[in-house]
Amino acid sequence: QFTALSSLLVLSACGGNQAAGDEDGESSGGAVKADIGVISYISGPGAAYGEAITNGLKLAQEEINGKGEVEINLVIEDSAGKQDQALTAAQKLMNSENVTGIIGPTLSTEMNVVGPEADLNGVPIMGTSTTAEGIPQIGDYVFRNSLPEALAIPASIDKAIEKYDAKKVAILYGNDDVFTKSGFDTMKKAAEEKGLEILTIETFQKGQSDYNAQLTKIKGLKPDLILASALYNEGAVIMDQARKMGIDVPFVGGNGFNSPEVINIAGDAANGLIVATPWYGEKEDDKVKEFVGKYEEEYGKKPDQFAAQAYDALYIMAEALKNAGEADRDALRDALAEIKGFNGILGEFSFDEEGDVVMEPTVLVIEGGAFKEFN
Ligand code: LEU
C-alpha cells in the first residue's frame, strides 16, 4: 500500500510523465530499475584491466539509461585483483547493497571464490574478462561473455604454425593464478594435439621481476615459438627481458596479453606477439566505429577488448532485465540464460547451455608497436 502510494506521488511530482518506481525493480509502466554491482581490478599492478572494464560499463550505462526502458545504477567496488578483497566486495554488494546482479570480477582467480558465493546466494553474476576453463560451470547463476582460452589459444597457435612453420615450442606460465594456469593447460594440450615438440615448461610467480633463469634455458633450446600465459605486468617484462637477451622468436600469448599496456611497458620488445581476441577496434563495422569514437571522446584513449566486452556485457544485462520485467535475482538469472543471438559490438552473441560463450576469435599480431590483424 505504502509503495503504491509513493509511486503515485512520484508520478504526480513528475507532472504525469512516465516515471520509474521509486524503489529498485518497480516499474510503474516505465523503466525496470536495478542496482548492478561491479567488482573490478581498479588498483594495483593490473589496474589497466579494471579501468578499461569500468569505462566500458559506464559508457554502456549512459546509453542504456538514456533509452528509458531500463535504468541501471552501477555500484562499483575495487578488488585490487585479490581473492579476499573480491569476496568482501561481493558480500557487501549482495548483502548490504542488495544488488540484483553482479558484473565481474576481473580475474578468474577472483571468480573462483566469488562465483560459488554468488551462486549460493542466488545472485546472477557475469564475468566480462574471466577466460579460464570452468567458470560458467561453477553454477547456474554464473555466466561470462568473455572468450575462453580454450577457443582463443588454439586459434593463435594454428596461425603461428601456418605462418612460421613452427615445430618446437617452449612454454612459460604463472603457476600461482587460476587463469595463467588454465591458459597453460590449454597451451600444452593444443601443442600436443598439433604435434608440436614441447622443449621445456618454465614457471614464474606474480610480481616476479627477473626471468633470467627461465629465459636462459629457453634460449639454449632454440624454440621456434614461445607460448606464454601471463597477465600484462609480468608478460610485458618477460618479453622485454627476452628481447634484451637476443630471443627474437614470436610469442603466442593468452588473454592477459590483450591489453595495450603490454606495448606501453615493453615497447618494441612487444613486437612479434600473437594473441587471439573476441574484438578488434579497427574492424569495418558501424557499431564498432561508433563505440570507438564515443569511447575516445569520453576517455581520451582507444578502447581495448576488455572495454568492449564490458560494454556488451552491460547491454546483455539490460536486455535480460528488460525481458525479466523486474529487478528480481531469479528472474534475471532465467532471462540471462535465455539470451540468444544478441547483437553487440562483439558480433552475435549467445550463451550455451552452461552459460559459456560461443564465438569466433580474431588473431592479432603486434607489429611496429601496434596490434594488427594477422592474416
Ligand atoms: N582473462 C584473465 C582471467 O581470466 C583476466 C584478464 C583481465 C586478463 O583471469
Side-chain angles (χ1 to χ4, degrees):
Q1 272 226 312
F2 171 76
T3 316
L5 181 63
S6 56
S7 291
L8 263 175
L9 286 174
V10 170
L11 263 176
S12 58
C14 292
N17 282 340
Q18 249 201 356
D22 59 337
E23 276 175 30
D24 283 354
E26 283 183 27
S27 70
S28 33
V32 179
K33 280 180 87 175
D35 287 336
I36 298 294
V38 176
I39 306 170
S40 198
Y41 190 169
I42 307 173
S43 65
Y49 293 131
E51 185 197 319
I53 290 167
T54 48
N55 284 350
L57 291 173
K58 285 183 201 156
L59 189 59
Q61 179 197 22
E62 231 173 81
E63 294 175 8
I64 291 163
N65 289 354
K67 289 179 187 157
E69 284 180 316
V70 180
E71 196 181 319
I72 293 177
N73 175 40
L74 293 176
V75 188
I76 301 176
E77 297 288 328
D78 180 18
S79 67
K82 294 183 179 140
Q83 279 186 331
D84 51 344
Q85 205 168 314
L87 189 58
T88 307
Q91 276 154 349
K92 180 178 166 205
L93 291 170
M94 293 187 295
N95 305 326
S96 333
E97 300 288 346
N98 214 14
V99 298
T100 306
I102 296 176
I103 288 188
T106 305
L107 304 178
S108 296
T109 285
E110 300 170 305
M111 186 62 114
N112 251 21
V113 298
V114 170
E117 193 70 13
D119 194 57
L120 204 68
N121 282 278
V123 179
I125 184 165
M126 174 158 58
T128 72
S129 55
T130 42
T131 57
E133 197 68 24
I135 298 291
Q137 291 76 13
I138 290 172
D140 286 349
Y141 287 78
V142 184
F143 299 83
R144 70 166 153 206
N145 77 325
S146 24
L147 180 75
E149 298 307 303
L151 293 180
I153 286 171
S156 307
I157 294 183
D158 277 344
K159 225 2 172 265
I161 293 176
E162 177 196 321
K163 284 286 195 183
Y164 305 115
D165 193 26
K167 299 202 162 52
K168 299 173 296 173
V169 297
I171 310 183
L172 182 58
Y173 78 101
N175 63 3
D176 58 350
D177 175 273
V178 168
F179 146 74
T180 55
K181 268 197 287 191
S182 173
F184 158 69
D185 292 338
T186 305
M187 283 171 176
K188 183 165 177 281
K189 186 165 164 249
E192 285 166 356
E193 279 173 8
K194 293 166 201 305
L196 295 169
E197 183 188 350
I198 300 173
L199 300 170
T200 183
I201 295 169
E202 300 293 319
T203 59
F204 63 86
Q205 282 85 42
K206 268 183 197 172
Q208 190 165 325
S209 54
D210 180 2
Y211 301 91
N212 190 48
Q214 294 92 327
L215 292 171
T216 303
K217 182 156 177 210
I218 289 174
K219 190 180 177 192
L221 292 166
K222 297 195 171 43
D224 302 321
L225 275 182
I226 298 172
L227 314 182
S229 183
L231 293 166
Y232 70 69
N233 209 42
E234 290 79 19
V237 175
I238 288 169
M239 290 201 74
D240 183 50
Q241 291 182 9
R243 301 307 187 218
K244 283 187 176 133
M245 287 173 63
I247 300 175
D248 56 6
V249 295
F251 274 71
V252 170
N255 179 253
F257 282 92
N258 271 356
S259 167
E261 279 305 293
V262 172
I263 300 169
N264 293 342
I265 298 170
D268 284 348
N271 289 335
L273 171 72
I274 300 156
V275 281
T277 180
W279 185 83
Y280 180 49
E282 313 294 320
K283 199 171 158 191
E284 281 300 321
D285 176 289
D286 288 345
K287 267 192 172 168
V288 170
K289 284 186 178 163
E290 196 188 326
F291 166 70
V292 171
K294 277 194 187 171
Y295 189 99
E296 268 193 289
E297 198 177 309
E298 191 104 357
Y299 305 111
K301 57 168 99 168
K302 284 195 189 298
D304 63 17
Q305 69 115 99
F306 298 103
Q309 266 176 338
Y311 176 88
D312 265 8
L314 198 66
Y315 267 99
I316 291 169
M317 272 283 182
E319 178 75 14
L321 280 166
K322 192 175 81 189
N323 295 343
E326 55 177 333
D328 174 79
R329 290 169 172 179
D330 289 325
L332 176 60
R333 191 228 81 92
D334 293 346
L336 276 171
E338 292 287 307
I339 294 278
K340 288 263 173 312
F342 167 84
N343 224 311
I345 55 170
L346 262 50
E348 204 177 280
F349 178 87
S350 302
F351 289 116
D352 70 8
E353 324 75 61
E354 292 179 324
D356 213 341
V357 171
V358 192
M359 209 184 256
E360 269 290 310
T362 305
V363 180
L364 305 178
V365 64
I366 299 181
E367 262 172 22
F371 286 102
K372 309 226 161 95
E373 235 171 308
F374 196 31
N375 292 316

